[in-house]
Amino acid sequence: MTLTAPTRLLPVAELERAVAGPVLLPGDPRLAAEVAPFTTTFTPDPAVVVGATCAGDVAAAVRFAAAHGLTVAVQATGHGLTSALPGSLLVTTSRMDEVTVDPAARTARIGAGTRWRAVIDAAAPHGLAPLSGSSSDVGAVGYTLGGGLGPLARKYGFAADHVRRAEIVTGDGRVHTVDAGTDPELFWALRGGKGSFGIVTALEVDLVPVARLHGGGVFFPGSAAADLLHAYRAWAPTLPEETTTSIAVLRLPPDPALPEPLRGQTVVHLRVAHLGSAEEGAALVAPMRAVAPALLDGVGEMPFAAVDAIHMDPTDPMPVHDRGTLLRELTADTVDALLAAAGPDVEVPLMLVELRHLGGAVARPAAVPNAVAGRDAAFSCWVLGPMSPPVAGVVPAVVDSVVAALAPWSTGRSLLNFAGSVSAAQVAGLWDDADRQRLLAVKRRVDPAGLFTHGHVVG
Ligand SMILES: Cc1cc2nc3c(=O)[nH]c(=O)nc-3n(C[C@H](O)[C@H](O)[C@H](O)COP(=O)(O)OP(=O)(O)OC[C@H]3O[C@@H](n4cnc5c(N)ncnc54)[C@H](O)[C@@H]3O)c2cc1C
């Protein structure tokens, strides 16, 4: 086995004795499967990997990294991979996939490597739901630490607003239980500041009493995009907080797995989640249905467990370049600018340009305030392009050009989970000065050596 220079010098046997899970080095035939990300833009290339089985493994791995001059990265699913994690000790958390639901307290304890699907399935028999996002394949902990904007957001706010307690290994290599009483500053910071402060080994989160909803998606032909987006900007602000919606221009591949009318087409996808009766839901969606004939209409009564049907996110790993931007307002000029930059009439190598309607509980601080930034915006926009040949070379510039076209209406920031391919300075710029200083003060206290530098971290 050929080791990289830093790996060759590591006393790996010492690490193997300290952890129960596997320790993998470059060249190990198990490595590719262990670190396989959903976002395949990067191939993880850490110095050493620890497949953690428990909080003790995570703590031992962090202590080892600190002792041997390695930075520490963490990966649950690789949905949010932002680099190849060079030179790091990578902790993979997929084995830590426990979910325990307390139906009386309406809470769930979620292990670091748990995907939303497992939480949804554990909560559903009790008529409860987590504040998961558009895809149940995403990791619950990474999503929640980054804010977490899902289909129930306007009613219940961000997922991070419903964290009761976190178990975290910070730079000292010890496991801390953090809540509003034990360490209010760290508790504020980690709910919205993501992986900046350590590796969260488990979260205790609220579940909400949602067993069913009126929701789904309607696919319209791309030729109606202008009418639909202009109708959406007038319609969305009229909706009650019980209704969370988004709309996207999708350029779909000629994939035989897609329904025939969508295959290889540019379409407009309206997504709806309404917490109310079927009659109310149908009446609310009627103005959008009247804009154009649908290619496919999947809005109706559904159990919360079928929530993936709302966005129908891709389920296969893929290389992408993405950026987000937050819009103060969505005016007629904003829609025209978006259509000119990325509408169906423009030939651009993009997969998705999506507008998510904010407001409601998203706009209000959490009951126990946290570091989630972006509550002042009216819409969140997310732009994704494929980083595959032959277009990979131009995709980043195209994605940037769409964000630039929306700049006149942007707050200049994005939600952390939708920040995408941005620099460390741009990540730091997602918070106002006061909150950034507060985050940096916590970072200096709990990670003085700067071990946690990978991903979207502050400082
Ligand atoms: C298809 C798709 C759909 C998405 N939908 C939504 C959505 O609806 N709403 C939304 O808000 N976001 C959404 N996202 C963004 C997603 O929430 C973030 O990319 C999130 O970071 C993914 O977490 P992960 O653990 O699955 O990914 P990973 O790539 O495994 O982790 C990404 C980062 O999360 C942090 N992290 C993960 N685990 C831990 C831990 N245990 N302790 C500390 N930090 C940790 C680290 O910073 C890590 O670098 C989506 C992303 C994709 C690809």
Side-chain angles (χ1 to χ4, degrees), residues 38 74-81 112 133-135 138-139 141-143 145 148-149 194-195 198-200 313 356 382 417-418 455:
F38 181 86
V74 56
Q75 181 170 299
T77 71
H79 275 78
L81 188 63
S134 59
S135 163
V138 168
V141 169
Y143 166 98
L145 298 177
L149 182 80
K194 219 169 183 176
I199 296 184
V200 168
D313 279 348
R356 295 191 185 202
W382 197 25
N417 273 351
F418 297 111

Side-chain angles (χ1 to χ4, degrees), residues 4-204:
T4 59
T7 307
R8 202 169 51 232
L9 303 174
L10 293 174
V12 173
E14 177 191 320
L15 179 59
E16 282 172 331
R17 279 195 300 276
V19 298
V23 174
L24 287 73
L25 300 171
D28 189 314
R30 300 169 297 170
L31 190 73
E34 180 70 28
V35 303
F38 181 86
T39 302
T40 56
T41 321
F42 307 96
T43 305
D45 185 26
V48 56
V49 176
V50 172
T53 63
C54 59
D57 279 3
V58 176
V62 169
R63 286 197 298 273
F64 182 87
H68 298 286
L70 299 169
T71 55
V72 179
V74 56
Q75 181 170 299
T77 71
H79 275 78
L81 188 63
T82 56
S83 81
L85 315 172
S88 68
L89 182 156
L90 172 61
V91 176
T92 52
T93 58
S94 55
R95 291 168 188 78
M96 297 171 63
D97 58 353
E98 84 204 51
V99 185
T100 316
V101 169
D102 181 339
R106 288 187 182 165
T107 58
R109 182 184 155 88
I110 303 171
T114 310
R115 293 177 195 253
W116 277 125
R117 172 48 52 196
V119 189
I120 292 168
D121 290 347
H126 307 287
L128 299 171
L131 292 173
S132 52
S134 59
S135 163
S136 64
D137 200 35
V138 168
V141 169
Y143 166 98
T144 301
L145 298 177
L149 182 80
L152 307 183
R154 284 172 41 79
K155 172 73 177 169
Y156 292 108
F158 290 97
D161 301 348
H162 295 268
V163 173
R164 292 200 180 185
R165 191 164 290 109
E167 203 178 85
I168 182 172
V169 174
T170 53
D172 59 3
R174 292 171 53 201
V175 186
H176 303 268
T177 299
V178 178
D179 60 22
T182 58
D183 189 338
E185 275 305 283
L186 178 54
F187 190 59
W188 171 82
L190 61 80
R191 293 171 301 139
K194 219 169 183 176
S196 305
F197 313 101
I199 296 184
V200 168
T201 52
L203 286 180
E204 187 183 315

Side-chain angles (χ1 to χ4, degrees), residues 215-243:
V218 188
F219 289 95
F220 296 96
S223 54
D227 290 344
L228 286 159
L229 290 179
H230 279 289
Y232 182 76
R233 81 176 165 76
W235 174 71
T238 68
L239 297 171
E241 293 187 5
E242 284 69 28
T243 316

Side-chain angles (χ1 to χ4, degrees), residues 434-446:
D435 281 355
R436 184 170 41 256
Q437 292 311 324
R438 204 172 157 188
L439 287 164
L440 287 169
V442 177
K443 173 83 173 162
R444 281 192 296 271
R445 173 164 67 85
V446 304

